[in-house]
Amino acid sequence: MKRFDCLDQGCRVQGPHILEASAGTGKTFAIEHVVARLLLQGVPIEEILIVTFTRAATRELKERIFSNTNKALSCIQGKIALPEWKYLESSINSKEAILSLSNALKRFDQCQIFTIHGFCFRMLKEFAFEAGVWSSLENTKHPVDGFRSVVSALKVFLEKGLNPEDVCPEQVSLLLGDYDTLYEWGSALVRAQPKEEVETFKNLHAQFISCIQEVKYDPARIFGDFAKVRTQYKAARSDVDSQLEWVLQCIESPADPAPFRKLIQAQGSFFTFLAPENRKVKAKDVGPLHYGEFWGWLETLSPIIFKACAQKSILAVVVDRWRAWEQKHQKALFQPDDILLEMKKAIQVPCLLEELKKKYRAVIIDEFQDTDPLQWEIFEKVFLHAETFYLVGDPKQSIYRFRNADVYTYLRAKEILGAENLYHLDTNFRSSKELIGVLNALFSRNWLALPKLKSSLPYIPVRSGSSVSSDLQDEKKALHWILGEEGSYLETFLPYTVAEIKRLQCFEGVAILVKDRYELQSAQDLCAEHGIPCIARSHDRLADTYAFHATRELMSLLASPQNENRRKIVEAGPWDTKVEDWTFWRDLLVERGLVGFFSAFCKAQVLEDLTHVMEELFAWEAREGFSFAGVERFFQELEVLEGSDAIARRFKTKDGAVQIMTLHMSKGLEFDIVFALALASSSTVQEEEEEDELNAEKLRQLYVAMTRAKKRLYVPVNKKRGSSLDLLRKSIEGDEGPFVSYLERLKETQSISMEEVTTPFVLPAALQKKEEKVDVRAIPTSFVAWRPSYIESFTSLAQTEELESGVDVDLEDLPCGKETGVVIHEVFETIFQADEAVWKEERGLEALVEEVLRYTFLAEWKEKVLELVRRTLNVALHDGVRTFSLRDLSKEALYPEMEFLYAREGTWIKGFIDLVFIYEGKLYFIDWKTNFLGHHSMQDVMRSHDYSLQALLYRQALQCHFEKEMGGAFYIFVRTGEYVFV
């Protein structure tokens, strides 16, 4: 495996590559430089394809590649120096290189960066005739549009198609526990293959009863025996007394399934407690028992309970019933991978395959460890022999098995590309040197198992490339082990974590990693109880909230106010039930839009979810304008988005908050301090044939969790069977002997510290009273008295449309985009806030502009910005009566960046005016515009951005603050020095 240095001139970037990037080694940095080098070698931007696995990742890649290409261009033009970018040395002042990069920036809207579904959808649309799929795609706007049908069908199936005798609610809860969304669970469901034999809840309950129907025992004596028996076993991790009582209830009332369901809900932990492996090594004889045979007999029941709790067995039943329900209802459902299956079928057409091969000269597949066999089959057939082909990923971070990601697919692709094309990034730029050293020492062994291959993933030690220090001014080291007992980590490690965060008094840059949403809620509650600002980052979607559905029902009624069924639905919900004339509210909505409607309809503060739904609606209306069909489309589009593409629920938090999230959600993120609590949590009982693969993935999850920290990592250690840490401990003990003794030896050379904590860990008294949880459904009129926290601005009210420039931007002109506008506004703001009147003369103007631009991407454009500023200060402004320039204004009459807030038609308008000034007794304001006009006139831009509305709002605001006659408004287009007077 060769080292890959994307900055080195001698590094080969063309041809096939499988690029392994361990955590923190700069994978995205490498991709953006590979793209820049390909551009310099003459590959057009539109012939470079990049595929990643979320829409959020595509956005980030686009931004970073654009920024990196812009910096490379500035370097080869001689405007900035980038001494480490060795590959640019041969291109300095090269006209050909400058042309290649500038063309890429001008045509960057043609860059080909997609998700896998987005790419396949785009290709099927582009080559619909060749693929023979036009009829099925012509009315579809996006590849996720069709997913709505399967998600909707799954909801109906869960409500109506699943018989409690097949799968009880407790089993459904266990099955859904490992999936963050219905989409992910549905994806697993439709992929799964049905079994010939399934064990329903009714059958398992019958088996359980058949084993106990002849048994008769005295409950009082049973509990007396249990008091003696339990001393022979290690500490219980659940309420075993209650579970014993449920077993006895099964004996007394065999026809009642309730106690059996309770045992399933407890996941068989009573039987795990009495398992032979949980028996103490030096267990003492407890003497005679009333029912000695009872405890041996319980062993015959444990397999039934464990099977009833096993997710694979439960899924088999659900799959069987889903197939039958789907067939019965004749559902022609568009399933998650249908777009990929269409693509697989399409590339069998020779002419289409050849067109795709010719379309791209370079292909980069990001996060390749998350690829499944179907996706690889497409990539392999279409792109394997591309001029340049990159598979970028890290098999050690393959943790999405439940989404069908397959580490073995990665390894097969690696074998196909061959060892001669295998490269790796070997320098960690995330973590401190001390933390990297100790992780290298722990991980440099054969511990990442590959059960199917009877081998393991190699771990290559990484070098330190970060200047981060682990010194937090206390006695603890970079890796701090928390040694606890066998109790639940929620009783030990979570309270310890809260106490430690309070001791450090450090909230920003701190993360707590937990196993699932239930543990996430426990951590959030405990932090809040002790006054620690925190935010729980989960995969909960805004589209799944009660507020989302209540708002959708309200909009549906307003679209048809005479519909009696819709009226009853709304009036049964949280809205005001005293409305007599819904037609009045419909007309108000049509006349005043969403902001005006909700300002009048709602009267007091609402829960965060409803506020969030409203703001998303308002932003949508500002983009597209109001219509009832559009509103319904908004709800449909929001509802179908899943995973990282979905709009997540927003949680109130303060700046510098501790972040709490699941281990899976932490992938790709980094924090100063990490408490990896999830590593001490065990999983649900699984069937034996799955155990090895699940354990292998747990170790990869451990790798992900332990590579998130930059300064310090806290890792809990207990003896909880099946936890990620337990698996690592066993692996290390096989090489090094007792785990704690090994850590003691490692302390001599590595930055390690250890601390023993008691179970339960006792926290000091809370700083504040714990807030009561609010169940939205328990508040029948919680929305009625809502006064929206949303304050209107010009941006939210304007009806804007985008104008295509129609021409290429001159290479010598300023870059386009919002970022340029922000910097130019700051320049003018600084000029007119200066202590001396620099706008009246040249003295100090150049130094001031240079200071503003110094740390921005426009630093290299200083001369161009100075030219723009001078031209703007000299432009002759005419208000129909008099002519003057900005150089004529006195300091006492200037109000730069004036903030305003005023009431208008029952709501509030807030905003900032770039520059307000008084000249010869009249009041004026200026708005700086950095728009690139292209072939469009200033009037076109004024109309398309609704600036006349802005002028009206600003006039009203100024009339509330000044008793002056309004002179007017100047919209100055600073690129050309022209203006529009309003």
Side-chain angles (χ1 to χ4, degrees):
M1 187 183 296
K2 297 179 284 291
R3 182 171 181 263
F4 188 84
D5 183 355
C6 59
L7 300 180
D8 182 15
Q9 178 68 50
C11 179
R12 179 176 72 92
V13 295
Q14 290 188 314
H17 290 70
I18 185 154
L19 180 56
E20 294 199 348
S22 294
T25 56
K27 171 176 65 69
T28 306
F29 180 85
I31 291 174
E32 61 194 40
H33 281 283
V34 166
V35 171
R37 297 185 66 167
L38 290 171
L39 293 172
L40 288 170
Q41 293 173 16
V43 182
I45 187 71
E46 62 270 21
E47 294 184 20
I48 302 173
L49 170 67
I50 303 175
V51 178
T52 188
F53 283 82
T54 67
R55 288 202 286 178
T58 64
R59 289 192 295 270
E60 181 189 4
L61 278 169
K62 286 178 182 178
E63 291 170 2
R64 290 190 55 170
I65 290 172
F66 180 87
S67 175
N68 192 72
T69 306
N70 198 32
K71 286 175 69 176
L73 176 60
S74 297
C75 181
I76 63 178
Q77 288 175 322
K79 296 178 179 180
I80 59 174
L82 297 169
E84 293 184 358
W85 296 18
K86 302 295 185 185
Y87 69 88
L88 292 178
E89 292 178 354
S90 61
S91 299
I92 301 296
N93 295 321
S94 164
K95 292 183 178 179
E96 184 179 355
I98 291 172
L99 183 62
S100 294
L101 295 189
S102 60
N103 282 340
L105 291 173
K106 283 190 277 187
R107 299 200 300 269
F108 199 77
D109 59 339
Q110 299 178 39
C111 71
Q112 305 285 293
I113 305 178
F114 305 106
T115 63
I116 175 62
H117 287 89
F119 163 71
C120 291
F121 179 78
R122 177 71 66 91
M123 294 304 100
L124 289 173
K125 289 278 280 189
E126 184 173 337
F127 300 103
F129 179 78
E130 292 88 342
V133 294
W134 178 254
S135 60
S136 61
L137 294 176
E138 60 180 341
N139 297 318
T140 307
K141 293 184 177 180
H142 192 274
V144 300
D145 288 351
F147 294 177
R148 186 180 306 114
S149 59
V150 72
V151 172
S152 302
L154 284 170
K155 289 179 179 178
V156 176
F157 169 68
L158 285 174
E159 293 173 2
K160 301 179 180 179
L162 207 53
N163 192 315
E165 291 187 349
D166 296 329
V167 180
C168 70
E170 290 76 11
Q171 289 178 306
V172 174
S173 177
L174 290 179
L175 183 60
L176 295 177
D178 278 354
Y179 301 99
D180 291 316
T181 67
L182 183 62
Y183 173 84
E184 290 177 355
W185 180 75
S187 180
L189 178 62
V190 298
R191 291 172 189 267
Q193 297 300 316
K195 287 187 173 182
E196 293 183 4
E197 296 182 6
V198 295
E199 293 278 14
T200 65
F201 168 79
K202 183 178 181 180
N203 291 341
L204 291 168
H205 182 231
Q207 293 175 33
F208 193 85
I209 296 303
S210 68
C211 293
I212 64 174
Q213 59 186 356
E214 302 299 328
V215 181
K216 297 295 179 185
Y217 295 107
D218 178 2
R221 291 185 174 183
I222 287 289
F223 276 97
D225 284 354
F226 187 50
K228 297 179 181 179
V229 168
R230 69 187 306 162
T231 63
Q232 297 181 311
Y233 295 87
K234 300 173 187 176
R237 292 171 292 202
S238 59
D239 185 1
V240 289
D241 292 293
S242 294
Q243 293 182 63
L244 175 57
E245 186 175 343
W246 298 336
V247 172
L248 297 178
Q249 287 175 6
C250 288
I251 296 173
E252 294 171 2
S253 306
D256 183 7
F260 184 64
R261 288 172 52 180
K262 291 178 180 179
L263 291 171
I264 294 173
Q265 186 176 23
Q267 300 182 51
S269 56
F270 173 68
F271 299 92
T272 302
F273 170 70
L274 292 174
E277 56 267 29
N278 195 46
R279 189 180 176 90
K280 294 177 180 176
V281 176
K282 297 181 179 179
K284 297 180 180 179
D285 184 20
V286 296
L289 300 170
H290 292 98
Y291 300 112
E293 75 283 0
F294 179 85
W295 311 102
W297 165 76
L298 283 178
E299 292 184 13
T300 64
L301 299 179
S302 60
I304 302 173
I305 286 292
F306 290 150
K307 182 175 287 189
C309 299
Q311 289 182 331
K312 191 172 182 181
S313 297
I314 301 169
L315 182 62
V317 181
V318 176
V319 168
D320 182 77
R321 297 304 185 260
W322 162 258
R323 294 285 188 266
W325 184 86
E326 187 181 16
Q327 184 175 7
K328 178 181 177 181
H329 291 81
Q330 297 181 337
K331 294 285 182 182
L333 298 177
F334 188 95
Q335 297 177 358
D337 276 342
D338 278 3
I339 200 77
L340 303 185
L341 293 171
E342 285 286 351
M343 186 68 172
K344 177 184 174 181
K345 185 168 61 175
I347 59 179
Q348 308 306 316
V349 180
C351 64
L352 173 59
L353 184 60
E354 288 306 311
E355 288 295 324
L356 290 174
K357 287 182 176 180
K358 289 189 296 185
K359 187 174 178 64
Y360 299 107
R361 290 173 56 184
V363 178
I364 302 172
I365 311 298
D366 187 24
E367 299 288 359
F368 186 66
Q369 75 279 348
D370 295 330
T371 302
D372 65 31
L374 175 58
Q375 293 165 359
W376 169 238
E377 187 175 349
I378 294 170
F379 293 144
E380 181 182 17
K381 190 172 183 68
V382 181
F383 299 126
L384 182 60
H385 300 292
E387 182 180 311
T388 298
F389 184 46
Y390 277 78
L391 302 178
V392 185
D394 182 9
K396 301 188 297 298
Q397 298 188 67
S398 179
I399 62 171
Y400 293 115
R401 186 169 173 266
F402 66 92
R403 294 181 185 169
N404 220 37
D406 180 22
V407 68
Y408 298 103
T409 295
Y410 178 100
L411 297 174
R412 285 194 295 273
K414 180 177 175 179
E415 185 177 346
I416 291 171
L417 264 67
E420 67 276 13
N421 296 312
L422 183 58
Y423 297 82
H424 75 113
L425 301 175
D426 67 344
T427 304
N428 183 302
F429 298 97
R430 171 183 296 162
S431 305
S432 69
K433 182 178 180 180
E434 297 86 353
L435 190 51
I436 290 172
V438 67
L439 292 180
N440 279 338
L442 284 171
F443 294 161
S444 294
R445 63 189 75 249
N446 294 326
W447 64 288
L448 291 166
L450 294 168
K452 287 183 182 178
L453 302 180
K454 301 190 183 307
S455 62
S456 61
L457 289 170
Y459 176 82
I460 300 175
V462 293
R463 302 187 298 179
S464 173
S466 171
S467 59
V468 172
S469 171
S470 289
D471 184 12
L472 293 175
Q473 306 301 318
D474 61 12
E475 73 285 356
K476 294 181 173 65
K477 303 297 183 180
L479 178 51
H480 186 69
W481 298 92
I482 317 165
L483 309 179
E485 300 177 10
E486 296 181 38
S488 165
Y489 85 80
L490 292 177
E491 300 171 359
T492 307
F493 300 126
L494 179 56
Y496 169 86
T497 296
V498 170
E500 185 70 0
I501 293 173
K502 290 172 70 175
R503 181 187 72 81
L504 292 170
Q505 280 298 298
C506 178
F507 306 134
E508 188 169 5
V510 176
I512 304 173
L513 307 186
V514 296
K515 175 191 171 187
D516 53 34
R517 68 189 70 179
Y518 307 109
E519 294 177 359
L520 183 145
Q521 186 64 58
S522 298
Q524 186 181 19
D525 290 345
L526 194 59
C527 284
E529 182 178 347
H530 286 266
I532 295 176
C534 65
I535 181 169
R537 296 181 58 171
S538 72
H539 291 290
D540 291 349
R541 303 184 314 149
L542 183 63
D544 291 330
T545 61
Y546 186 47
F548 174 87
H549 294 289
T551 308
R552 187 175 190 175
E553 290 164 356
L554 176 63
M555 290 293 105
S556 178
L557 171 60
L558 292 172
S560 302
Q562 306 303 323
N563 189 305
E564 190 68 14
N565 289 332
R566 294 182 184 181
R567 182 185 64 79
K568 289 178 180 179
I569 291 172
V570 168
E571 292 181 353
W575 303 102
D576 190 344
T577 58
K578 298 177 182 178
V579 173
E580 295 181 1
D581 185 5
W582 286 101
T583 302
F584 165 81
W585 289 108
R586 172 205 164 91
D587 294 342
L588 184 71
L589 173 58
V590 172
E591 178 183 344
R592 297 181 56 183
L594 286 163
V595 176
F597 166 77
F598 279 109
S599 297
F601 187 73
C602 305
K603 305 298 181 185
Q605 179 63 37
V606 74
L607 299 176
E608 182 73 5
D609 287 337
L610 182 60
T611 306
H612 195 177
V613 173
M614 299 293 185
E615 293 182 4
E616 293 293 338
L617 263 173
F618 298 160
W620 164 83
E621 184 188 32
R623 292 192 306 270
E624 299 192 19
F626 177 79
S627 71
F628 284 109
V631 168
E632 179 56 27
R633 187 171 64 251
F634 161 83
F635 284 115
Q636 290 176 350
E637 291 175 354
L638 200 65
E639 186 178 38
V640 76
L641 293 176
E642 293 286 347
S644 59
D645 292 334
I647 297 176
R649 296 180 69 189
R650 187 173 60 200
F651 297 89
K652 291 182 179 178
T653 184
K654 301 176 183 178
D655 292 337
V658 172
Q659 298 198 54
I660 309 170
M661 66 190 70
T662 62
L663 186 155
H664 283 88
M665 196 166 192
S666 73
K667 184 173 176 287
L669 303 179
E670 59 183 43
F671 311 91
D672 290 336
I673 301 171
V674 172
F675 293 85
L677 303 189
L679 302 184
S681 182
S682 61
S683 301
T684 308
V685 177
Q686 300 290 339
E687 291 194 9
E688 186 174 352
E689 63 265 26
E690 290 290 308
E691 186 173 358
D692 289 344
E693 290 297 336
L694 288 169
N695 286 343
E697 185 168 82
K698 285 181 190 176
L699 287 171
R700 299 195 293 272
Q701 292 171 6
L702 178 141
Y703 173 80
V704 169
M706 293 183 70
T707 52
R708 301 304 98 198
K710 295 194 287 186
K711 296 182 178 180
R712 179 177 293 167
L713 172 65
Y714 289 82
V715 179
V717 181
N718 61 7
K719 294 182 180 179
K720 198 154 192 175
R721 280 191 313 120
S723 70
S724 303
L725 209 285
D726 179 55
L727 296 172
L728 177 65
R729 177 181 59 80
K730 289 178 179 176
S731 175
I732 290 177
E733 287 182 341
D735 298 331
E736 310 287 352
F739 186 62
V740 175
S741 299
Y742 166 69
L743 296 182
E744 291 286 357
R745 296 196 303 273
L746 203 58
K747 283 171 60 178
E748 299 176 5
T749 57
Q750 301 294 339
S751 182
I752 286 180
S753 53
M754 293 186 290
E755 179 180 3
E756 291 191 16
V757 295
T758 58
T759 301
F761 184 89
V762 180
L763 267 168
L767 295 178
Q768 60 185 39
K769 184 178 179 181
K770 186 175 179 180
E771 294 182 3
E772 294 293 327
K773 291 183 182 178
V774 179
D775 181 358
V776 184
R777 291 171 175 76
I779 308 177
T781 57
S782 61
F783 297 175
V784 173
W786 178 48
R787 175 68 175 140
S789 63
Y790 188 90
I791 298 176
E792 294 181 38
S793 65
F794 161 69
T795 305
S796 69
L797 292 171
Q799 304 287 336
T800 62
E801 61 180 270
E802 292 299 321
L803 294 177
E804 295 292 337
S805 67
V807 296
D808 291 335
V809 181
D810 191 322
L811 186 58
E812 298 302 318
D813 203 350
L814 289 176
C816 296
K818 293 180 180 179
E819 295 80 4
T820 296
V822 170
V823 177
I824 298 300
H825 275 71
E826 185 180 354
V827 167
F828 282 112
E829 178 185 353
T830 306
I831 288 172
F832 288 105
Q833 285 181 340
D835 293 334
E836 298 182 4
V838 294
W839 61 91
K840 298 180 76 70
E841 53 190 49
E842 280 295 310
R843 189 181 62 201
L845 186 62
E846 182 174 352
L848 186 148
V849 171
E850 183 177 8
E851 180 64 25
V852 174
L853 299 182
R854 178 175 298 176
Y855 301 110
T856 74
F857 75 102
L858 288 182
E860 63 195 270
W861 300 88
K862 186 188 77 170
E863 294 303 324
K864 191 70 178 177
V865 173
L866 267 171
E867 177 189 336
L868 176 153
V869 168
R870 292 187 181 109
R871 182 172 61 230
T872 303
L873 294 177
N874 291 325
V875 67
L877 303 175
H878 185 67
D879 65 355
V881 177
R882 58 186 62 78
T883 300
F884 58 94
S885 75
L886 295 176
R887 292 193 187 274
D888 298 327
L889 304 180
S890 63
K891 183 173 177 58
E892 296 73 23
L894 293 178
Y895 304 90
E897 280 298 299
M898 178 181 170
E899 182 177 8
F900 64 85
L901 177 68
Y902 73 97
R904 176 179 181 264
E905 297 181 6
T907 189
W908 292 92
I909 306 295
K910 179 180 180 180
F912 292 85
I913 304 177
D914 291 345
L915 179 64
V916 178
F917 64 91
I918 299 172
Y919 184 74
E920 294 187 357
K922 289 191 176 184
L923 190 65
Y924 300 85
F925 69 84
I926 287 176
D927 203 71
W928 315 114
K929 295 302 174 191
T930 59
N931 309 60
F932 176 73
L933 298 178
H935 290 318
H936 298 288
S937 67
M938 291 184 293
Q939 286 71 24
D940 289 336
V941 175
M942 294 288 292
R943 175 190 53 77
S944 67
H945 288 79
D946 214 354
Y947 288 149
S948 58
L949 171 62
Q950 182 188 52
L952 173 63
L953 296 176
Y954 287 5
R955 280 174 179 270
Q956 291 179 351
L958 292 175
Q959 287 168 351
C960 293
H961 289 78
F962 294 92
E963 294 182 359
K964 295 282 184 183
E965 180 184 353
M966 282 297 304
F970 295 96
Y971 283 79
I972 302 180
F973 290 79
V974 296
R975 288 178 182 269
T976 60
E978 301 173 286
Y979 67 90
V980 173
F981 178 72
V982 180

